[in-house]
């Protein structure tokens, strides 16, 4: 029997349930590992810190305005964005961009035409990058190059992995670095390390770029 003292669910809860159902339906339509994607996203969202409400909005506003960090108008706009969930949304979007640019273990084995043991050996030897997301191994796709290399992996990949590992910035930062144009790598213009290497560029130039920038 329902507890009549509870009353009907709030509109906010109804909206949340509707949003979750829409998300589940949208993910199920994708040509992807839907269950893994939902699990991984859920795990990431659970790791996010909620908005800190221990200090009142008025207190935060007064402190920041008094310190000259924000104008009252800037604070009010920033607060509206926080209350809309813009910050958490951007964090989720950044994570999704990185997570969706990974391949499953089975897909990677099939792509490289190797078995489990060889895949493990390559990861252990630093010849492939593997990350664990929601309890499964995933392989960032920036490291593959089927169009230009018989091996199907990026030119100089072990050396690139070693340089990125030395910086210790994490796999998402590494992926962003490898796919972002660098002024030190120029073809017709600033070129991303991945494209530089896929077009035959010098591996040493990429290593130098990693070392000089801290892979940021």
């Amino acid at each position: 029997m329902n507890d009549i003292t509870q009353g009907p669910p709030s509109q906010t809860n109804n909206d949340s349930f509707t949003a979750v159902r829409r998300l589940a339906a949208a993910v199920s339509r994708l040509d992807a590992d839907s269950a893994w994607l939902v699990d991984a996203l859920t795990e990431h969202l659970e790791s996010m810190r909620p908005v800190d409400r221990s200090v009142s909005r008025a207190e935060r506003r007064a402190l920041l305005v008094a310190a000259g960090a924000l104008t009252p108008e800037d604070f009010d706009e920033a607060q509206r964005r926080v209350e809309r969930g813009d910050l958490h949304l951007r964090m989720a979007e950044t994570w999704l961009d990185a997570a969706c640019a990974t391949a499953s273990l089975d897909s990677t084995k099939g792509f490289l035409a190797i078995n489990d043991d060889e895949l493990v050996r390559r990861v252990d030897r630093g010849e492939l990058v593997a990350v664990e997301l929601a309890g499964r191994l995933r392989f960032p796709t920036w490291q593959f190059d089927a169009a230009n290399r018989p091996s199907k992996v990026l030119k100089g990949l072990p050396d690139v992995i070693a340089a990125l590992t030395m910086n210790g910035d994490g796999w998402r930062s590494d992926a962003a670095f490898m796919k972002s144009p660098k002024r030190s790598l120029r073809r017709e213009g600033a070129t991303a390390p991945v494209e530089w290497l896929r077009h035959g560029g010098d591996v040493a130039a990429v290593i130098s770029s990693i070392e000089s920038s801290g892979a940021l």
Side-chain angles (χ1 to χ4, degrees):
M1 179 180 296
N2 291 332
D3 184 353
I4 60 174
T5 63
Q6 291 181 333
S10 69
Q11 183 61 45
T12 298
N13 285 338
N14 286 336
D15 290 346
S16 296
F17 294 146
T18 299
V20 169
R21 284 195 295 268
R22 288 182 60 203
L23 173 62
V27 171
S28 68
R29 294 175 58 249
L30 300 177
D31 184 16
D33 187 344
S34 301
W36 168 80
L37 185 57
V38 170
D39 285 345
L41 177 58
T42 300
E43 184 179 275
H44 179 65
L45 294 175
E46 287 173 342
S47 73
M48 290 185 183
R49 295 178 60 184
V51 175
D52 183 4
R53 302 190 186 280
S54 60
V55 179
S56 72
R57 174 174 177 169
E59 289 175 301
R60 286 197 302 273
R61 189 177 194 271
L63 287 170
L64 291 171
V65 171
L70 292 173
T71 67
E73 295 76 19
D74 289 340
F75 175 87
D76 291 341
E77 176 56 29
Q79 186 66 26
R80 282 192 290 271
R81 291 198 299 269
V82 169
E83 291 172 351
R84 287 198 305 264
D86 286 6
L87 176 61
H88 287 128
L89 177 60
R90 285 197 299 273
M91 292 169 63
E93 287 175 340
T94 299
W95 182 90
L96 275 171
D97 284 344
C100 289
T102 64
S104 69
L105 185 147
D106 287 340
S107 294
T108 301
K109 286 193 304 180
F111 176 73
L112 298 177
I114 58 178
N115 59 27
D116 287 332
D117 291 340
E118 177 60 19
L119 187 61
V120 170
R121 279 194 292 270
R122 293 193 187 187
V123 173
D124 287 344
R125 292 194 298 252
E127 297 173 4
L128 281 176
V129 175
V131 298
E132 184 177 336
L133 294 175
R136 299 192 194 181
L137 279 184
R138 305 284 298 186
F139 296 81
T141 55
W142 64 260
Q143 60 193 320
F144 302 129
D145 183 8
N148 304 297
R149 305 271 297 171
S151 65
K152 297 184 180 179
V153 297
L154 204 62
K155 177 184 176 182
L157 182 59
D159 292 332
V160 170
I161 292 173
L164 291 170
T165 301
M166 286 291 292
N167 281 313
D169 289 318
W171 71 273
R172 287 191 291 270
S173 292
D174 293 346
F177 175 86
M178 292 299 294
K179 293 186 288 186
S180 300
K182 304 293 180 288
R183 287 178 294 180
S184 61
L185 304 175
R186 304 191 67 83
R187 297 179 63 83
E188 296 178 355
T191 305
V194 163
E195 294 305 317
W196 174 266
L197 294 173
R198 285 175 180 169
H199 287 87
D202 186 11
V203 177
V206 173
I207 303 301
S208 177
S209 181
I210 294 170
E211 293 174 345
S212 64
S213 67
L216 295 177

